[in-house]
Amino acid sequence: MPSKSKPLTDAELTAYEAKRDLAAELLQSVREMKAGQVHVISSPVIEARNKTGLSQSQFAALMGVSVRTLQGWEQGRKQPSGAARTLLAIASTNPKALLAVAQK
């Protein structure tokens, strides 16, 4: 598997992809799911957004951030700042209050 820290060149990517057996990888994934070996990781940011019922673009606009930043939070690649964490806590505990403030 390629390193996540250093991007592959086009030639390296082509060579890596040529060696892969996608059918075997998919079959292994299905076996793991059936055996209960797959763990779904839930993000508190996704949960907060879902409680508001907003799409990523709508929620990002409400939070005052780009969709890309929101996606980074949801995927755990980035962490929200103090102010954003506070708004996320409000969205999680009282989504109606956050939506009411946004409509004003």
Side-chain angles (χ1 to χ4, degrees):
M1 177 166 274
S3 168
K4 290 184 179 184
S5 61
K6 180 183 152 217
L8 297 176
T9 64
D10 287 340
E12 291 171 328
L13 181 61
T14 301
Y16 170 74
E17 290 295 334
K19 288 190 258 180
R20 290 180 72 188
D21 182 354
L22 293 178
E25 290 178 28
L26 288 170
L27 184 57
Q28 179 62 30
S29 294
V30 169
R31 287 180 178 142
E32 289 172 3
M33 285 188 289
K34 284 184 174 181
Q37 296 174 342
V38 178
H39 302 284
V40 176
I41 299 172
S42 182
S43 162
V45 179
I46 294 173
E47 290 176 18
R49 180 173 59 83
N50 286 340
K51 286 182 180 180
T52 65
L54 299 175
S55 67
Q56 281 185 334
S57 59
Q58 292 169 323
F59 194 71
L62 177 65
M63 296 292 294
V65 298
S66 69
V67 173
R68 189 172 184 141
T69 296
L70 177 64
Q71 290 169 342
W73 293 347
E74 289 185 349
Q75 295 168 7
R77 290 180 286 120
K78 297 180 181 178
Q79 294 300 313
S81 68
R85 278 194 310 270
T86 301
L87 286 174
L88 288 167
I90 293 169
S92 184
T93 58
N94 193 349
K96 289 181 183 178
L98 187 65
L99 292 169
V101 169
Q103 292 175 354
K104 289 184 180 182

